[in-house]
Amino acid sequence: MIVASIDPTSQAYAAGQVIGSMTAAAIGIGLLWWLTRSWRAQPTPPGSDPAQAWKGKRKRTWFIAGVSVFIAAVASVKAFASYHPEPRAIETVAADGSEEYAVIVLPELFDRFRLLTGEDATRAETEVLAGRDLPHSLRTGYYDQDADGSYDLFVLVTSSDWDPKVAESKATKFISQEFRNYFTGAKARDVARFDPGKHGGGLACGHVTGPDGDQTMCAWSDAANLVGVRHVHETDLATAARTTLALRDAATR
């Protein structure tokens, strides 16, 4: 489950790798000095030149100091090379490396799904919200797959395009943090990440409990948007991810 897993792309994980490398080096250096304390402080043999004995002790001490510096340098290089934290969500780039400000416009049609309008959309929203009011910053869409007038997908869009709070959040959070918060709030389980496609960013899906059993909840995130997609009649995560990706490709402008 994503909320309990260690994300190797997160800044916390990257910082942990650095701290781990430097801590191991510090422990190794401490052991080196402790294990060589007798060797470095060899007593002056009777009849020997005290000045020469002192020089010998100093050389041994400097040798251990040099080894310690070498260990610290190697650990620093390793820590620097392993520090690849996840960028902030606002820094997301497309798969080809280009920066893009994606605008989400829900399509009337995509794949085998049709956007509900009129009375069908009103009925779907009444069923989903059950008398609750959505914040003004959230926009919804309902898609029908089998032309029976009932919704099979429920789409929830948040975007910095119209909500400054989303822009503020994306400037401080990573996509992994967004997903962790989103799926925890949805009480999702078995959450897995999937290929986000040409627009980059992130795509994840997990199982949630619906009125009639298991459903699938997916979400994608980019530099400006976080979009949730609830699959009412789909329980296979990979299939739900492909449908969500198709919607993302069709909705991104």
Side-chain angles (χ1 to χ4, degrees), residues 9 11 85-94 99-102 160 165-179 193 199-202 220-226 248:
T9 65
Q11 188 168 19
E86 179 182 4
R88 306 290 177 178
I90 199 171
E91 300 169 337
T92 298
V93 297
E99 297 183 5
E100 60 175 25
Y101 186 89
S160 58
K165 290 184 178 180
V166 175
E168 293 174 6
S169 176
K170 287 190 171 288
T172 58
K173 288 185 173 60
F174 316 112
I175 287 178
S176 59
Q177 289 177 299
E178 291 183 320
F179 283 167
R193 295 286 288 263
H199 297 293
W220 81 74
S221 177
D222 55 41
N225 311 285
L226 177 61
R248 182 187 188 187

Side-chain angles (χ1 to χ4, degrees), residues 148-228:
D148 63 354
S150 61
Y151 72 97
D152 298 292
L153 296 181
F154 166 42
V155 184
L156 190 64
V157 184
T158 60
S159 177
S160 58
D161 193 39
W162 59 74
D163 187 354
K165 290 184 178 180
V166 175
E168 293 174 6
S169 176
K170 287 190 171 288
T172 58
K173 288 185 173 60
F174 316 112
I175 287 178
S176 59
Q177 289 177 299
E178 291 183 320
F179 283 167
R180 190 174 297 113
N181 294 340
Y182 185 84
F183 287 106
T184 298
K187 298 181 180 179
R189 60 190 186 279
D190 307 323
V191 180
R193 295 286 288 263
F194 294 89
D195 183 356
K198 63 183 179 181
H199 297 293
L203 170 64
C205 297
H207 290 122
V208 293
T209 301
D212 301 318
D214 281 352
Q215 298 178 350
T216 304
M217 175 75 76
C218 294
W220 81 74
S221 177
D222 55 41
N225 311 285
L226 177 61
V227 183

Side-chain angles (χ1 to χ4, degrees), residues 93-149:
V93 297
D96 61 4
S98 62
E99 297 183 5
E100 60 175 25
Y101 186 89
V103 176
I104 303 301
V105 179
L106 294 180
E108 294 183 5
L109 294 169
F110 83 94
D111 201 2
R112 301 162 313 224
F113 293 87
R114 177 180 63 87
L115 182 66
L116 293 179
T117 58
E119 293 182 359
D120 289 337
T122 300
R123 184 170 57 254
E125 183 143 308
T126 300
E127 181 180 342
V128 169
L129 298 183
R132 295 167 296 181
D133 291 327
L134 283 176
H136 73 282
S137 59
L138 302 180
R139 298 186 180 179
T140 59
Y142 305 88
Y143 282 90
D144 177 19
Q145 181 180 16
D146 46 18
D148 63 354

